[in-house]
Amino acid sequence: MSDIKGAFDRIAGSYDSQREALIPCFRDFYGVITDLCEVPEESPDILDVGAGTGLLTAFLRTKHPRGRFTLIDLSGEMLRGAEKRFAAAEGIFLVAGDYTVSELGGPYDAVVSSLSIHHLPHRDKWDLYGRVYRSLKDGGIFINGDQFAAPDEETETMYQREWRRRIESSGLERGEIDAAYERMKLDRPATVDENLEALGRAGFIQTGLAYRYYNFGVIHGRKRRTGQ
């Protein structure tokens, strides 16, 4: 995880400004995660896994302004961005740590993540899903907006070609684009089907793929209620 931490420590200062260029489906992607985060409580407890600068939490706070948000991330530099973003906000708790081994706390009404879990080896992904399940309240929801591998090599090549075409014309500086390509070497995405099967093994019900744009997608699952 040290390679991942170092990579994101280095780009923390420019991370937010690059998001819309590097994620062609930016508004839909974060919008779908926000739409899916339906909880009955007026002041829900929400955990943001791999929260970075708090971008996803910022979207969710527009829907749940009275929520209590715990943000955990490996990169202290990224969390400093979150600290600045929410300097005047209440109900924000920042945790610097490796969420593959750190206690997740809880119970939470929702656990969310965006563009983080695909960096993990598959075994760590599946283990995390089990720990997320245990951290949720009965009926709680897990939403993971992430990058997913295509089901075959030919399709993956097509997806990657289209993504590169778009960011090459995005207006980013050459160095920013090359740095994004370099960070891709840390990616270890699994397919949507592999992820959904792992959610099912962890105990989640009502699992599904709510959104997909080439390699970007949003999957979800809900924790069983007692007696369900």
Side-chain angles (χ1 to χ4, degrees), residues 166-179:
R166 286 178 177 267
I167 69 165
E168 287 287 345
S169 60
S170 67
L172 286 176
E173 298 290 338
R174 182 74 253 164
E176 294 174 317
I177 293 173
D178 290 343

Side-chain angles (χ1 to χ4, degrees), residues 74-86:
L74 182 67
S75 169
E77 291 298 322
M78 294 285 277
L79 282 179
R80 270 187 268 280
E83 186 176 23
K84 293 178 182 177
R85 184 192 295 275
F86 301 117

Side-chain angles (χ1 to χ4, degrees), residues 50-62:
T53 62
L55 181 61
L56 176 56
T57 289
F59 273 88
L60 293 174
R61 288 187 76 244
T62 66

Side-chain angles (χ1 to χ4, degrees), residues 81-221:
E83 186 176 23
K84 293 178 182 177
R85 184 192 295 275
F86 301 117
E90 296 182 354
I92 301 291
F93 309 96
L94 306 181
V95 180
D98 179 355
Y99 61 71
T100 64
V101 295
S102 299
E103 291 296 326
L104 298 182
Y108 301 103
D109 298 287
V111 177
V112 299
S113 185
S114 63
L115 301 173
S116 180
I117 296 173
H118 71 279
H119 292 119
L120 306 180
H122 292 358
R123 182 181 299 177
D124 289 347
K125 293 184 185 71
W126 315 152
D127 177 71
L128 176 65
Y129 288 166
R131 295 169 63 235
V132 166
Y133 186 88
R134 294 189 291 275
S135 77
L136 283 165
K137 297 177 183 178
D138 283 3
I141 190 167
F142 173 51
I143 308 162
N144 182 24
D146 214 344
Q147 290 177 240
F148 301 100
D152 59 78
E153 186 174 343
E154 184 176 353
T155 305
E156 181 69 24
T157 298
M158 178 180 68
Y159 286 1
Q160 291 295 329
R161 183 172 62 244
E162 177 61 18
W163 178 73
R164 287 172 181 263
R165 183 185 71 80
R166 286 178 177 267
I167 69 165
E168 287 287 345
S169 60
S170 67
L172 286 176
E173 298 290 338
R174 182 74 253 164
E176 294 174 317
I177 293 173
D178 290 343
Y181 291 159
E182 190 65 25
R183 289 194 302 276
M184 286 177 61
K185 296 176 182 179
L186 300 173
D187 293 352
R188 300 177 181 180
T191 67
V192 168
D193 285 347
E194 288 171 325
N195 278 272
L196 292 178
E197 288 169 7
L199 289 181
R201 291 195 301 271
F204 285 98
I205 60 173
Q206 300 172 10
T207 61
L209 172 68
Y211 176 79
R212 181 145 198 179
Y213 181 92
Y214 294 99
N215 290 110
F216 297 94
V218 180
I219 61 174
H220 59 88

Side-chain angles (χ1 to χ4, degrees), residues 11-23:
I11 65 159
S14 58
Y15 183 84
D16 286 354
S17 65
Q18 296 179 14
R19 289 302 86 192
E20 291 198 50
L22 293 176
I23 308 170

